[in-house]
Amino acid sequence: MSGYGQSEYGLDSYGTVVLESPRIISMESVDGLSIRIDFNMTMLDNSDLSNPDNYVFAPIFGAPVTVDSVDVDSDFNSVVLNHSGTTLGG
């Protein structure tokens, strides 16, 4: 059943659905080559979540860091990024 303007009925203006975007709630270095990212909600189980090309490290110092692979936890609330390693200096 649709509300005004073909949107689903909800609690927002004109019956539209309120959508919340996922946010990162914590990050931690697992070891020198892995970083765990926890999200505030369950993520969709699709190829976007596990695609290494969707994750980028901002270069600050040293050699560029690339994400080699992504391990998705079974609860889809967190991922572990396996990366090429970081170095300081140059």
Side-chain angles (χ1 to χ4, degrees):
M1 189 167 211
S2 294
Y4 182 80
Q6 301 301 315
S7 295
E8 296 296 322
Y9 286 112
L11 301 175
D12 209 8
S13 302
Y14 300 106
T16 59
V17 177
V18 178
L19 299 176
E20 181 182 354
S21 297
R23 294 187 199 113
I24 295 174
I25 56 173
S26 69
M27 294 175 62
E28 68 175 322
S29 178
V30 177
D31 54 38
L33 298 172
S34 302
I35 294 177
R36 179 184 174 96
I37 301 173
D38 295 314
F39 300 101
N40 68 328
M41 62 176 45
T42 301
M43 305 297 287
L44 294 176
D45 178 18
N46 61 30
S47 61
D48 290 335
L49 184 61
S50 60
N51 184 351
D53 295 331
N54 290 334
Y55 300 90
V56 178
F57 286 90
I60 298 175
F61 296 109
V65 178
T66 57
V67 177
D68 299 323
S69 64
V70 179
D71 298 326
V72 180
D73 280 358
S74 59
D75 62 1
F76 299 102
N77 286 334
S78 60
V79 295
V80 174
L81 305 181
N82 302 299
H83 58 84
S84 59
T86 59
T87 60
L88 292 177

